[in-house]
Amino acid sequence: MNHQTPRSHSPDTVLISTAAIRRRIARLAAEIAKTYDPTRELVIVAIWHGSFMFMADLLRQLHRQGIRTHVDFMTLASYGAGTRSSGRITMLQAPALPVKNQLVLLVDDILDTGRTLIRAIRWLRQRGAKNVKICVLLDKPARHKVKVRADYVGFKIPNVFVVGYGLDHDKHYRELPYIAKLRQR
Ligand code: IMP
Ligand code: MG
């Protein structure tokens, strides 16, 4: 990999700190645990790639709450190389776990226009998932274009493009341990 490649953007302002993310996820897991029957396993379907860091931390907090999970991924693509959605959602990889009659928690990094989540929910319902709830780390209410509501939201944020903690811009910055606003140079 060429680390010298000039980037047209750089993350500057920290919007949500590592400590704030950690505290919020612990509370989210407690909220989630309240609504699930601990005798049943919860199927977590995480939308790849953006949710990987959030999902990993959320799972460990759910474990502390006594929730047992099965984990799978779904790859849906909507973004190209820029900061604007193409509006077209393509299913690149479906989850392998059977979802019929299962309690499913769909986990994503961010609810932006909502098109990705609508597509994911439809797919899961068509395959007989019994109860599909949505958990997102970030929600940008000003950007919603379709009717979709997340059951569990980490943080509501304004209409800014953010990176870090799994979220990328053109494949960069996923490794940042915090959420930063992207500044256009
Ligand atoms: P949608 O517009 O709700 O379908 O969002 C689809 C996907 O776009 C999200 O799962 C993210 O991966 C990505 N996305 C939306 N907003 C941002 C952002 O501010 N930063 C990085 N990725 C974003
Ligand atoms: Mg995503």
Side-chain angles (χ1 to χ4, degrees), residues 4-65:
Q4 303 309 312
T5 308
R7 295 175 177 182
S8 58
H9 295 71
S10 73
D12 54 357
T13 332
V14 175
L15 188 65
I16 308 171
S17 71
T18 305
I21 294 171
R22 192 174 47 238
R23 282 194 301 270
R24 184 68 189 113
I25 293 177
R27 285 205 304 271
L28 265 184
E31 279 174 42
I32 294 169
K34 263 193 250 161
T35 57
Y36 283 103
D37 171 0
T39 62
R40 290 199 60 180
E41 255 141 14
L42 178 61
V43 176
I44 306 260
V45 175
I47 300 182
W48 198 248
H49 308 23
S51 66
F52 74 90
M53 222 182 259
F54 174 43
M55 188 223 51
D57 286 341
L58 182 67
L59 276 181
R60 283 175 281 195
Q61 290 298 328
L62 285 172
H63 167 73
R64 293 188 64 190
Q65 296 288 333

Side-chain angles (χ1 to χ4, degrees), residues 47-51 76-79 83 85 89 108-118 138 140 143-144 146 148 157 160-164 166-169 174:
I47 300 182
W48 198 248
H49 308 23
S51 66
L76 294 160
S78 70
Y79 273 78
T83 53
S85 169
I89 310 295
D108 204 2
D109 50 359
I110 186 165
L111 171 49
D112 186 34
T113 66
R115 291 191 179 105
T116 304
L117 283 166
I118 284 277
L138 306 172
K140 281 187 202 169
R143 291 261 310 162
H144 294 190
V146 292
V148 60
I157 61 166
V160 288
F161 196 84
V162 289
V163 292
L167 291 105
D168 74 313
H169 174 255
R174 289 197 199 275

Side-chain angles (χ1 to χ4, degrees), residues 75-93:
T75 309
L76 294 160
S78 70
Y79 273 78
T83 53
R84 293 188 49 184
S85 169
S86 69
R88 236 193 10 252
I89 310 295
T90 328
M91 169 81 78
L92 300 181
Q93 183 154 348

Side-chain angles (χ1 to χ4, degrees), residues 114-139:
R115 291 191 179 105
T116 304
L117 283 166
I118 284 277
R119 176 85 169 79
I121 295 165
R122 197 177 305 139
W123 190 95
L124 291 164
R125 293 216 175 111
Q126 279 168 356
R127 276 140 194 97
K130 194 171 137 193
N131 175 317
V132 183
K133 289 205 168 159
I134 298 175
C135 176
V136 291
L137 179 66
L138 306 172
D139 185 9

